[in-house]
């Protein structure tokens, strides 16, 4: 939960959050006051979950949210730039954990990961879609980004 606590610390009170790849929803218990939280994943784990496969077009109403959280899920996405092109018109804040190729040398194929972006690759995508990095930290060879729409 240490990584999850750090990511929750990137979120402002009162945020309207959707978490992609929510898993067991551990983020929810660390959120600041007055946040609304919607979990989503590739499989529906309970009635609260929205179904979403990030390797396909996002079919959710993104205008209902101002903050997106990706915690250890973007490694399973082929085209992160496509995801950001869908978020950019609606989402003001993005919180990410990602194992960048220049931070960790783990075997991506063995992990089942589909993408292999460096910090620079990700920052280029962020910039292209008018997001700036507000905070950056590394945790156990993972890159943690807090982004804000410019």
């Amino acid at each position: 939960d240490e990584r999850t606590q750090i990511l929750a610390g990137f979120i402002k009170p009162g945020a309207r959050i959707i978490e992609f790849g929510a898993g067991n929803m551990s983020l929810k218990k660390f959120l600041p006051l007055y946040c609304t939280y919607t979990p989503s994943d590739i499989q529906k784990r309970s009635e609260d979950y929205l179904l979403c496969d990030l390797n396909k077009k996002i079919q959710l109403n993104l205008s209902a949210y101002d903050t997106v959280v990706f915690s250890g899920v973007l490694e399973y996405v082929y085209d992160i730039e496509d995801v950001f092109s869908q978020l950019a018109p609606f989402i003001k804040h993005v919180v990410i954990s990602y194992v960048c190729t220049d931070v960790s040398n783990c075997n991506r194929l063995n992990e089942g990961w589909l993408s292999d972006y460096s910090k620079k690759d990700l920052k280029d995508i962020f910039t292209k879609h008018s997001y700036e990095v507000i905070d950056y930290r590394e945790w156990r060879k993972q890159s943690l980004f807090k982004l804000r729409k410019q």
Side-chain angles (χ1 to χ4, degrees), residues 53-143:
D53 181 347
L54 293 172
N55 286 306
K56 298 179 181 174
K57 186 175 184 319
I58 298 172
Q59 300 289 324
L60 305 174
N61 177 13
L62 294 174
S63 67
Y65 310 100
D66 58 22
T67 303
V68 166
V69 177
F70 298 106
S71 181
V73 69
L74 289 177
E75 290 85 352
Y76 300 96
V77 174
Y78 287 109
D79 189 352
I80 293 174
E81 183 168 354
D82 180 58
V83 171
F84 269 81
S85 71
Q86 294 176 71
L87 298 180
F90 307 101
I91 304 299
K92 185 171 181 170
H93 304 278
V94 182
V95 175
I96 300 170
S97 72
Y98 186 83
V99 180
C100 294
T101 57
D102 52 341
V103 174
S104 173
N105 62 356
C106 66
N107 186 317
R108 302 181 88 72
L109 190 59
N110 284 349
E111 298 291 336
W113 294 341
L114 304 176
S115 64
D116 57 351
Y117 293 89
S118 68
K119 284 190 301 188
K120 182 188 179 319
D121 295 335
L122 288 178
K123 287 179 180 178
D124 288 347
I125 291 169
F126 304 156
T127 300
K128 180 178 180 178
H129 296 284
S130 301
Y131 287 98
E132 62 180 324
V133 177
I134 299 303
D135 200 345
Y136 174 83
R137 300 180 197 176
E138 290 180 9
W139 178 84
R140 295 190 185 178
K141 300 197 177 210
Q142 295 180 39
S143 295

Side-chain angles (χ1 to χ4, degrees), residues 4-65:
T4 304
Q5 286 180 300
I6 295 168
L7 295 175
F10 286 169
I11 298 170
K12 64 181 178 71
R16 294 175 292 124
I17 303 157
I18 184 165
E19 181 181 16
F20 290 103
N24 63 9
M25 298 191 309
S26 60
L27 177 68
K28 188 176 182 180
K29 64 186 170 199
F30 299 114
L31 291 174
L33 292 174
Y34 312 113
C35 289
T36 59
Y37 173 81
T38 303
S40 72
D41 214 317
I42 198 164
Q43 44 184 304
K44 197 165 180 114
R45 297 170 186 257
S46 74
E47 286 303 310
D48 298 341
Y49 276 77
L50 299 179
L51 286 175
C52 185
D53 181 347
L54 293 172
N55 286 306
K56 298 179 181 174
K57 186 175 184 319
I58 298 172
Q59 300 289 324
L60 305 174
N61 177 13
L62 294 174
S63 67
Y65 310 100

